[in-house]
């Protein structure tokens, strides 16, 4: 796939280029700030744009640039990177979109396999959330007044993995259960969270993730 990079740290930027080229991807552009990437993507679309959240211009320039890329090129996948797993960053990412987008820690994508898997899932239309943040959100959402309080332990595990962007087969493998059992748990999650039955399965998965993220924003239980 063709990838554009915006990262103000020279060492990490060059590292990403090496990883992408080692995986057989084409680096269509490599920039030190978000504005340069936006200008390039406007005239030369790519499959995915990788952006550092905290870079010029401004303290969260990557998020601003990602919003502009999504407005200009809705079909371009977005991967936002940071040294920190922060809930407020995730909420901003989800405000940009809930498809073809990801938020991961820099240290976690510093390998060909993980970076490649993340990009493949984003291009396939998925949302990819850093696992440690997904776990923190689900665990924090177990308060008695949370919409998630009615979920069983197994349903909570399934929801956590859904939040990471895992497909049903991957969830089944992780939890050592059958794909059919995963489907039953997901159906139960949809019911308990009161999600509309006439939405597509993919859309309901996104709504399920957004439901507990919204719960965290309201009760402030996650920092």
């Amino acid at each position: 796939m063709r990838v554009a990079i915006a990262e103000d740290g020279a060492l990490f930027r060059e590292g990403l280029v090496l990883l992408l080229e080692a995986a057989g991807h084409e680096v269509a552009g490599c920039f030190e700030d978000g504005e340069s990437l936006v200008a390039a993507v406007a005239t030369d679309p790519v499959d995915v744009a990788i952006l550092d959240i905290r870079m010029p211009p401004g303290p969260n320039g990557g998020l601003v640039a990602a919003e502009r890329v999504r407005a200009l090129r809705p079909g371009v996948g977005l991967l936002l990177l940071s040294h920190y797993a922060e809930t407020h960053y995730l909420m901003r990412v989800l405000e940009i979109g809930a498809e073809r987008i990801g938020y991961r820690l820099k240290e976690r994508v510093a390998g060909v396999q993980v970076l490649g898997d993340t990009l493949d899932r984003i291009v396939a239309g998925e949302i990819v959330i850093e696992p440690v943040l997904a776990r923190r959100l689900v665990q924090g959402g177990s308060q008695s007044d949370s919409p998630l309080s009615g979920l069983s332990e197994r349903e909570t595990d399934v929801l956590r993995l859904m939040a990471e962007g895992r497909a049903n087969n991957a969830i089944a493998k992780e939890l050592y259960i059958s794909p059919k059992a995963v489907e039953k748990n997901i159906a139960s999650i949809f019911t308990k969270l009161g999600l509309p039955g006439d939405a597509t399965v993919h859309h309901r998965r996104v709504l399920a993730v957004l439901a507990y993220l919204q719960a965290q924003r309201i009760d402030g239980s996650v920092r």
Side-chain angles (χ1 to χ4, degrees):
M1 63 186 72
R2 301 184 74 243
V3 182
I5 301 170
E7 161 65 55
D8 62 332
L11 185 60
F12 189 77
R13 185 173 64 247
E14 293 305 316
L16 279 176
V17 171
L18 292 175
L19 287 173
L20 289 166
E21 291 179 343
H25 302 303
E26 175 188 352
V27 178
C30 196
F31 310 97
E32 296 181 8
D33 62 86
E35 289 185 344
S36 298
L37 180 144
V38 172
V41 171
T43 58
D44 183 21
V46 295
D47 298 303
V48 180
I50 301 177
L51 308 99
D52 181 9
I53 288 180
R54 301 180 66 173
M55 67 174 178
N60 299 322
L63 288 168
V64 175
E67 290 173 343
R68 294 176 61 192
V69 170
R70 181 51 56 95
L72 286 168
R73 301 286 185 183
V76 172
L78 298 170
L79 174 56
L80 282 298
L81 300 177
S82 175
H83 285 298
Y84 312 99
E86 298 286 354
T87 306
H88 65 277
Y89 285 160
L90 179 56
M91 297 307 300
R92 283 287 303 279
V93 168
L94 291 174
E95 287 172 358
I96 295 171
E99 295 183 350
R100 295 185 304 281
I101 197 166
Y103 169 29
R104 301 221 59 178
L105 293 177
K106 290 184 176 182
E107 64 189 58
R108 294 287 295 161
V109 297
V112 173
Q113 183 175 355
V114 174
L115 179 59
D117 175 69
T118 298
L119 294 179
D120 287 343
R121 289 160 62 189
I122 289 173
V123 169
E126 297 183 17
I127 177 172
V128 183
I129 298 174
E130 184 61 40
V132 65
L133 183 55
R135 285 194 297 271
R136 187 190 306 166
L137 288 167
V138 173
Q139 290 165 357
S142 62
Q143 309 296 326
S144 60
D145 58 347
S146 166
L148 307 182
S149 60
L151 300 184
S152 69
E153 182 177 352
R154 176 64 77 195
E155 290 164 353
T156 299
D157 288 337
V158 170
L159 179 54
R160 170 177 59 81
L161 294 170
M162 286 170 61
E164 294 175 15
R166 306 287 188 92
N168 285 11
N169 286 341
I171 295 175
K173 183 177 180 180
E174 178 77 15
L175 299 179
Y176 299 99
I177 58 178
S178 69
K180 182 63 70 175
V182 172
E183 292 176 7
K184 290 180 63 176
N185 278 281
I186 291 175
S188 179
I189 291 169
F190 290 160
T191 298
K192 290 181 179 180
L193 294 183
L195 299 180
D198 58 349
T200 66
V201 172
H202 176 71
H203 185 53
R204 293 173 82 192
R205 291 174 78 95
V206 173
L207 289 176
V209 173
L210 292 178
Y212 75 75
L213 289 176
Q214 185 63 29
Q216 300 312 311
R217 171 186 261 181
I218 292 173
D219 65 29
S221 62
V222 175
R223 297 290 185 267

